Amino acid sequence: MVDKSDKDVSYWLPKPKSRIDMQFHVRGVPFTLERDIIVEKSAKIVEILNEQSDDSIYQFLRNIPAHPKTFELVARFCHGFELQMSCENVLPLACLAFYLGMTESHSPNNLLSKAVTFFEQRILPCWNETIKAFLTTEDIIQQAVDTGLVGECIESLVCKAVNDPYLLGEPLVNFVNDELSEDDEFHHKPSARRKLFVSEWQSEDLTILPLSLYELTIHSMNQHAVPPRFVAASLLKYAKKWVFCSAKGEKKMSVCKTNHQREVMEAVERLLPHQKGLFPCTILFEMLRFAIHLEANVGCRNGLELRIGKQLDQATASDLLIPSRDYAKEMHYDIECVKRIIKHFYRDYNSNMEGLTAVARLIEEFLIEVASDRDLEISAFVSLVEMSSAASMGTDRSSDGIYRAIDIYLDKHSYLTESEKEEVCRGLDYHRMSAETCEHAAKNQRLPLRIVVQVLFLVQLQLRDAITREMQGPDNRLTQDEVEKDERELALNDGVQKSEMEKMSNKVMELEKECHMMRKEIEEGCIHMVKKEKTSMWREMKRKFGCINKMNNCNCQVKKKKVHPKLWP
């Protein structure tokens, strides 16, 4: 039969000699039916004829909630034709038969009982047929719910998934999940018996269902004994099909499609079981990036951040590089999001030293990655430094990684003032730096002067301690008197060193004061009033610190006196 929307599709019906025809349209498709035939099968039509006028019949038929092809099959049945039911039409037929009241109490061997029997005997026992039939209820979801057909489909799918979870798909193998049972490990690979039945092994995927039907099904599976990791595998496939793949393939999507992807992303997070380790951290971060990009609701983003925080020790530094939506530049990252995730980790911390060490290393690596971001503000960087320093407190990690990040930040932000540089270095713990790093810091011209002095002092203390340990070693063959003498000399040397360091610190402070005074005088335009004696004192201090050549470019109008080299040691 050829379906033509602009012609009467009832030309194939038998033509009795005398009849009362009813002509009407169903979604624009014309139909002509004999009243007595439809009355014989439909209790609803009889009810309307008994209580209302003929106009009500035509209005009722025009508003039938069914596809024209489905109504055509009903018309065929009313005229005595045998119907070929399948998974594609049985549920729409059952819903329309229920709507028209085509029950056994009105007429024997009526359409509703035939459709329900076919559905129970031929559709429900098979996973693939159930999913295909369930898919046809998208446009008639409310009728299918009212008739109980949706509940039957979901119950059938849940029971089959409980008996064979692999119908939902292969779960992801996450080696960090310590909660796998022996049964889970046993079912990890398909058995030889399963491989023999190729047709059963290639099951229909739930991802073909629209979101409304899929969400009802997964919600029911979460409430029953379906293993969470199989549910998570199905959710991941659904997200990849409807969000990840389509979003990557199109540069600019329509508003309707973006809204649909946002709804899918929010539903996937909402349906995801709360068991730890269902997804690797990398996949959770990918879901979080899409949630941020699609502007998903706060509950969705917070839920993903919480799940990531529970297994942050399995993440990598590249995972934490989450682009910020507030800036158009590519090198700006969402620092606040990372800080929330780290807080979630320490809130659920369970005294696992390996995890604590891994997160401390992770924060250092992330700090080094973002240090080169020229748009990263000092306050944000300092907060990350302090967080990294606090994370490594309970571990045996040094502060070398933090120092490296600070050095990179100072290199990329060379315009910072001396006070701003000191603010950047505030969270650096010098006592936990290695000897090589201390040596590098002592020669690092990017560091502020005060930090260099403190590092030099620390190096001197470390050197003294090293000498002390060497002198007190088990192989020391010196006599007691020699040891006491060396100790006195060492103490004397320590006093001299401390005295020299204090003198040097005082000179540095005096030098800074003098610099401040001279800069102030230059700004006020009073440099010509500087006294000759003060200038001589200033030059003497510069010579003592070996910086006379560095200061020759100042715009002082005071005449420079030539000093004979022999006058100075």
Side-chain angles (χ1 to χ4, degrees):
M1 183 187 70
V2 179
D3 184 12
K4 298 181 179 180
S5 59
D6 57 343
K7 294 184 179 181
D8 190 341
V9 297
S10 305
Y11 65 88
W12 44 266
L13 299 177
K15 310 295 182 182
K17 294 180 180 179
S18 62
R19 65 183 185 182
I20 301 177
D21 291 337
M22 293 189 302
Q23 297 180 351
F24 55 93
H25 289 76
V26 176
R27 296 188 182 180
V29 179
F31 283 91
T32 302
L33 290 179
E34 186 179 353
R35 177 182 295 183
D36 294 342
I37 293 178
I38 190 66
V39 165
E40 182 182 352
K41 297 295 184 180
S42 173
K44 187 67 175 179
I45 298 293
V46 174
E47 180 184 348
I48 295 176
L49 286 174
N50 293 336
E51 297 180 357
Q52 302 179 23
S53 62
D54 291 346
D55 293 338
S56 301
I57 290 292
Y58 293 112
Q59 183 68 23
F60 173 78
L61 292 174
R62 282 195 298 268
N63 296 330
I64 284 180
H67 194 275
K69 290 185 177 180
T70 305
F71 188 83
E72 183 179 345
L73 292 176
V74 172
R76 282 176 172 273
F77 175 79
C78 292
H79 285 84
F81 287 87
E82 188 69 24
L83 297 183
Q84 296 294 327
M85 295 188 186
S86 65
C87 60
E88 285 82 9
N89 62 26
V90 62
L91 290 186
L93 278 174
C95 289
L96 184 54
F98 179 82
Y99 181 78
L100 294 173
M102 303 176 71
T103 61
E104 292 296 308
S105 59
H106 180 73
S107 175
N109 297 321
N110 216 342
L111 180 58
L112 181 59
S113 63
K114 289 181 177 293
V116 171
T117 301
F118 182 86
F119 174 67
E120 293 177 346
Q121 295 180 356
R122 302 287 299 275
I123 302 300
L124 288 181
C126 181
W127 170 272
N128 290 353
E129 299 297 307
T130 302
I131 293 179
K132 292 177 182 178
F134 194 24
L135 182 62
T136 62
T137 64
E138 181 181 7
D139 296 332
I140 53 172
I141 182 65
Q142 190 57 50
Q143 300 174 62
V145 170
D146 295 340
T147 57
L149 296 175
V150 168
E152 291 292 330
C153 289
I154 293 176
E155 183 179 354
S156 174
L157 294 174
V158 170
C159 291
K160 291 178 177 61
V162 170
N163 295 329
D164 187 4
Y166 278 92
L167 290 170
L168 299 177
E170 287 284 340
L172 293 176
V173 179
N174 191 355
F175 296 101
V176 305
N177 188 0
D178 299 329
E179 302 177 11
L180 295 180
S181 62
E182 295 180 0
D183 294 336
D184 291 332
E185 294 177 359
F186 176 79
H187 286 105
H188 174 62
K189 294 183 179 180
S191 62
R193 183 176 178 274
R194 288 182 60 86
K195 292 181 179 180
L196 293 176
F197 299 93
V198 179
S199 61
E200 286 295 325
W201 178 243
Q202 296 176 349
S203 58
E204 192 70 43
D205 201 342
L206 285 178
T207 58
I208 67 173
L209 296 175
L211 181 60
S212 57
L213 303 180
Y214 181 80
E215 188 170 3
L216 290 173
T217 306
I218 297 299
H219 179 71
S220 181
M221 289 186 178
N222 282 332
Q223 293 179 335
H224 293 79
V226 180
R229 64 195 188 101
F230 289 92
V231 174
S234 178
L235 287 168
L236 180 59
K237 287 197 296 183
Y238 199 84
K240 285 183 175 180
K241 179 175 182 178
W242 296 104
V243 180
F244 298 170
C245 295
S246 56
K248 292 179 180 179
E250 300 181 19
K251 294 183 178 180
K252 189 175 182 180
M253 295 180 295
S254 64
V255 176
C256 182
K257 190 168 186 178
T258 301
N259 292 338
H260 178 259
Q261 289 182 344
R262 183 190 306 114
E263 293 174 359
V264 171
M265 198 70 257
E266 293 172 355
V268 167
E269 189 282 325
R270 187 168 57 249
L271 295 170
L272 186 62
H274 292 282
Q275 183 179 352
K276 177 183 176 182
L278 294 176
F279 287 158
C281 240
T282 301
I283 293 179
L284 289 175
F285 272 106
E286 184 178 7
M287 295 174 67
L288 178 60
R289 289 188 182 92
F290 275 102
I292 295 174
H293 175 71
L294 296 171
E295 297 181 354
N297 58 39
V298 178
C300 175
R301 297 196 299 268
N302 290 346
L304 290 172
E305 290 175 4
L306 180 61
R307 298 175 193 277
I308 293 172
K310 291 181 178 179
Q311 54 190 75
L312 184 61
D313 52 330
Q314 304 300 322
T316 62
S318 59
D319 292 333
L320 293 175
L321 299 178
I322 304 173
S324 176
R325 292 279 295 177
D326 299 332
Y327 293 83
K329 297 181 180 181
E330 296 181 356
M331 287 300 293
H332 198 95
Y333 305 108
D334 196 339
I335 303 298
E336 294 301 319
C337 177
V338 174
K339 290 167 67 175
R340 289 194 299 269
I341 292 173
I342 294 173
K343 289 179 181 178
H344 286 316
F345 171 79
Y346 285 105
R347 187 178 295 116
D348 298 328
Y349 175 60
N350 58 356
S351 301
N352 182 4
M353 185 54 65
E354 293 182 1
L356 190 65
T357 304
V359 171
R361 180 175 61 252
L362 175 67
I363 299 175
E364 284 185 9
E365 294 173 354
F366 173 72
L367 187 63
I368 294 172
E369 289 287 341
V370 301
S372 58
D373 181 9
R374 297 181 182 275
D375 297 321
L376 184 60
E377 298 180 354
I378 295 177
S379 58
F381 181 77
V382 171
S383 64
L384 286 176
V385 169
E386 293 175 346
M387 185 174 292
S388 178
S389 180
S392 60
M393 278 296 183
T395 66
D396 56 353
R397 294 188 58 80
S398 66
S399 299
D400 292 357
I402 300 177
Y403 169 77
R404 180 184 173 192
I406 291 176
D407 188 36
I408 295 174
Y409 188 84
L410 294 177
D411 181 48
K412 297 297 182 180
H413 301 76
S414 56
Y415 54 84
L416 297 179
T417 64
E418 194 77 2
S419 59
E420 288 175 336
K421 290 181 179 180
E422 291 180 0
E423 178 69 15
V424 170
C425 300
R426 187 180 64 188
L428 182 60
D429 188 356
Y430 317 105
H431 298 278
R432 302 181 61 197
M433 289 166 48
S434 64
E436 293 80 5
T437 304
C438 288
E439 182 180 355
H440 183 277
K443 301 176 183 178
N444 193 344
Q445 297 181 358
R446 287 186 286 268
L447 294 178
L449 183 59
R450 288 184 181 274
I451 304 301
V452 174
V453 172
Q454 293 178 14
V455 172
L456 286 173
F457 182 71
L458 178 64
V459 170
Q460 292 293 330
L461 294 179
Q462 291 176 347
L463 179 61
R464 183 200 64 182
D465 293 340
I467 295 174
T468 303
R469 286 192 300 269
E470 183 178 354
M471 295 296 295
Q472 294 177 350
D475 297 333
N476 187 8
R477 301 179 180 277
L478 296 177
T479 62
Q480 186 65 25
D481 295 339
E482 292 176 340
V483 170
E484 293 177 356
K485 180 179 178 181
D486 290 339
E487 288 178 351
R488 287 194 298 270
E489 292 178 355
L490 183 60
L492 182 60
N493 291 334
D494 289 342
V496 173
Q497 289 179 359
K498 288 182 179 179
S499 177
E500 290 296 328
M501 291 299 296
E502 290 177 359
K503 290 180 180 179
M504 183 177 181
S505 179
N506 292 334
K507 289 179 180 179
V508 170
M509 293 177 64
E510 292 177 2
L511 180 59
E512 290 177 348
K513 291 179 181 178
E514 292 294 335
C515 287
H516 177 71
M517 292 175 62
M518 291 197 66
R519 288 173 184 171
K520 185 176 180 181
E521 291 175 354
I522 291 173
E523 292 174 357
E524 295 175 354
C526 299
I527 190 61
H528 59 280
M529 299 182 65
V530 179
K531 294 182 179 180
K532 195 170 184 179
E533 292 80 0
K534 190 172 183 178
T535 305
S536 299
M537 181 182 65
W538 171 242
R539 291 178 58 82
E540 182 180 354
M541 290 183 65
K542 289 192 294 181
R543 289 185 180 279
K544 288 185 177 181
F545 283 97
C547 53
I548 184 65
N549 294 329
K550 298 180 181 179
M551 301 297 296
N552 283 339
N553 294 328
C554 61
N555 296 325
C556 299
Q557 297 180 8
V558 181
K559 246 181 185 180
K560 300 178 183 179
K561 293 183 179 181
K562 186 174 181 181
V563 183
H564 197 277
K566 293 184 179 180
L567 297 180
W568 298 94

